[in-house]
Amino acid sequence: MPTDPVPEEGVPAEEPGTAEPGTADPGALEPGAAEPGTADPRRRAFLRGALSAGVTGVVVGAAGGYAYRATRPAPASGQAAQENAEAGLLPPVPFHGKYQAGILPQPQRQTAVISFNATADGRGELTDLFQTITARARFLTAGGTPPPVGIGGPPSDSGVLGPTVVPDGLTVTVGVGSTLFDDRYGLASRLPARLTPMLPFPNDDLDPAQCGGDLVIQLSAGNADTVMHALRDIARHTRGGMQASWRIDGFASPPRPSGTVPRNMLGFMDGISNPDTSDAAQMDSLVWIAPNTAGEPAWTAGGSYFVVRLIRMLVEFWDRVDITEQENMIGRRRATGYPLDSDSIYAVPNFALDPTGDVIPLTAHIRLANPRTPQTADSRILRRAYNYDRGIDQVGDLDTGLVFTCFQQDVKRQFEAVQTRLIGEPLVDYISPFGGGYFLALPGVLDRTDYLGRALLA
């Protein structure tokens, strides 16, 4: 069944909470550096391949200050900040913190969601892989000058962003899928209690080649070249440790009119009624996995269940539908985003005063997705959606739609409960979910000695 393709969980999000600046220093864990207290620090098959491809400048160069320079942005002068603003570049997002920095902010202008299968040989190399992803994310989100390399070596950076890597608001969100907890790495006993393969719903048309994965990485930034640069960098440094399985690129349209909410490819505003990300109590009750949660391994505390749904929108058919019928299917005015019973975009629809659906039909998307009852309050999700455009299909129809992502404490209690209520809604005739997966977004990286998945792999 199609995932909530229109907004029923989204008010403009606040900036992420307090976190340390996204910087690193020469003492930070870098690819090839041993985790304190572990044995055999040189058991690094895939990293040796990466080093030969030009990573040496980052690891070996740390002693000479190269890693330090590469992972610390230059002090922001007023002129530099003005030039970046004029170029449409966003300021850096702090990397360190209790939670991953890409979860709470509103959608960036550009994103890519990439699923990977782990190819690391054993737990040691898997640990290397997560340390490497962390080191690259730490540098890419802070920006700086890539290190020089020896004579005859390939350049240490693709050069896509020029001689200096600009952070451009980049966030790197990393999650793990249930398949990582098979018998390859000895992690079966650490499987999160609520992490399963993605449940298919009626009317789904899932393509196994675009579903699931051992790991997922979402890269979001202000510009598409920043996202592509980050993907190339991470793929280069982790070659041999993981292999991409599927990928989709997305974008968030500017709010039109200004001051409203971006629209999806059906023409409706997407993300109007989310939980308030500035309300720590709401985030603690709906998004973050709390310490000592019943049934959950201790390492999951500070993480969040991460659902990805790839939803094609059959826009050729949608565009032939009467506007009144469209609005009744959604439950909002297309032009303004107002609920059909209200005159404000953020007004709470009053379903109690409309029990028979005379104003907002009982089958309207917003009514089914979020009934606004005490019994359904704990099924709300933090929704983060992007549009996608893949050109045309084999018969010439537009392949466009939604990269739907959401974060929650419990997939069954929240996402699956919402999806179950949406089974059979009128909108199913105009959308076709075809891929995605369930993942657990890892707890954040606390400081320069920490790395993604450290508690899981300890």
Side-chain angles (χ1 to χ4, degrees):
M1 179 67 202
T3 276
D4 186 8
V6 245
E8 231 4 70
E9 311 286 340
V11 163
E14 301 295 331
E15 289 298 317
T18 58
E20 296 181 35
T23 57
D25 65 12
L29 285 169
E30 294 289 351
E35 170 63 18
T38 60
D40 195 10
R42 298 186 182 280
R43 198 161 47 85
R44 310 260 188 268
F46 79 87
L47 283 178
R48 282 196 290 271
L51 290 172
S52 67
V55 187
T56 310
V58 178
V59 184
V60 179
Y66 295 130
Y68 181 86
R69 186 178 72 218
T71 53
R72 285 207 185 253
S77 68
Q79 180 179 356
Q82 181 178 350
E83 290 175 353
N84 286 341
E86 290 173 353
L89 302 177
L90 300 176
V93 176
F95 176 69
H96 294 131
K98 182 178 179 181
Y99 310 115
Q100 289 196 65
I103 294 176
L104 294 188
Q106 294 185 63
Q108 302 252 40
R109 294 192 293 257
Q110 300 288 333
T111 199
V113 178
I114 313 98
S115 170
F116 295 88
N117 290 323
T119 57
D121 184 10
R123 177 84 72 87
E125 286 191 8
L126 187 68
T127 300
D128 298 339
L129 174 64
F130 279 89
Q131 289 179 354
T132 303
I133 294 170
T134 304
R136 299 319 302 160
R138 183 182 282 121
F139 166 56
L140 294 167
T141 55
T145 304
V149 295
I151 297 174
S156 61
D157 185 77
S158 65
V160 168
L161 301 181
T164 300
V165 173
V166 292
D168 194 19
L170 178 71
T171 59
V172 180
T173 305
V174 180
V176 293
S178 61
T179 52
L180 188 68
F181 297 85
D182 57 17
D183 59 2
R184 288 171 294 169
Y185 303 113
L187 298 175
S189 64
R190 303 185 183 189
L191 174 69
R194 295 159 179 84
L195 185 60
T196 67
M198 184 169 65
L199 179 69
F201 288 86
N203 300 105
D204 282 1
D205 186 20
L206 299 181
D207 174 7
Q210 299 182 83
C211 292
D214 294 334
L215 294 90
V216 69
I217 298 180
Q218 182 172 16
L219 305 169
S220 300
N223 291 278
D225 59 349
T226 308
V227 172
M228 173 53 69
H229 173 269
L231 175 55
R232 286 177 61 176
D233 184 283
I234 291 172
R236 172 182 182 172
H237 287 78
T238 59
R239 185 172 179 82
M242 63 182 185
Q243 180 63 48
S245 174
W246 54 264
R247 164 190 163 193
I248 192 163
D249 298 335
F251 62 93
S253 302
R256 299 186 180 100
S258 177
T260 58
V261 175
R263 297 175 186 267
N264 59 37
M265 292 292 98
L266 299 182
F268 283 78
M269 296 181 193
D270 196 308
I272 293 175
S273 184
N274 264 320
D276 181 359
T277 59
S278 68
D279 185 333
Q282 282 197 46
M283 296 300 96
D284 288 343
S285 65
L286 295 173
V287 175
W288 307 124
I289 300 173
N292 304 313
T293 297
E296 292 289 8
W299 71 265
T300 62
S304 183
Y305 285 96
F306 181 16
V307 172
V308 180
R309 292 272 283 180
L310 312 181
I311 306 170
R312 184 172 179 179
M313 293 179 167
L314 309 177
V315 294
E316 288 91 349
F317 297 103
W318 180 256
D319 290 344
R320 301 172 195 167
V321 177
D322 177 85
I323 184 63
T324 300
E325 185 178 351
Q326 289 186 1
E327 292 179 341
N328 283 336
M329 277 192 264
I330 302 302
R332 292 184 180 273
R333 301 293 179 198
R334 190 176 76 169
T336 63
Y338 298 174
L340 297 182
D341 67 347
S342 306
D343 58 1
S344 169
I345 186 172
Y346 296 118
V348 176
N350 196 332
F351 299 139
L353 291 182
D354 183 27
T356 58
D358 295 331
V359 181
I360 299 179
L362 300 180
T363 57
H365 182 83
I366 69 169
R367 192 161 192 157
L368 294 172
N370 185 1
R372 314 264 180 184
T373 67
Q375 295 75 24
T376 61
D378 70 348
S379 67
R380 299 183 71 198
I381 56 178
L382 181 62
R383 170 197 179 85
R384 293 291 181 252
Y386 293 81
N387 299 318
Y388 82 81
D389 177 13
R390 285 181 161 181
I392 58 175
D393 64 14
Q394 64 272 22
V395 298
D397 289 334
L398 295 172
D399 185 356
T400 188
L402 198 72
V403 182
F404 170 94
T405 70
C406 68
F407 297 91
Q408 58 261 289
Q409 279 184 342
D410 184 334
V411 174
K412 184 174 292 294
R413 187 191 90 210
Q414 294 170 269
F415 170 77
E416 289 185 357
V418 172
Q419 280 304 114
T420 299
R421 293 195 293 265
L422 291 172
I423 291 175
E425 66 168 328
L427 202 58
V428 300
D429 292 335
Y430 304 95
I431 54 179
S432 179
F434 63 89
Y438 293 170
F439 304 93
L440 188 134
L442 297 168
V445 177
L446 295 177
D447 55 38
R448 294 186 293 270
T449 64
D450 197 9
Y451 63 90
L452 289 160
R454 181 172 184 169
L456 164 63
L457 297 167

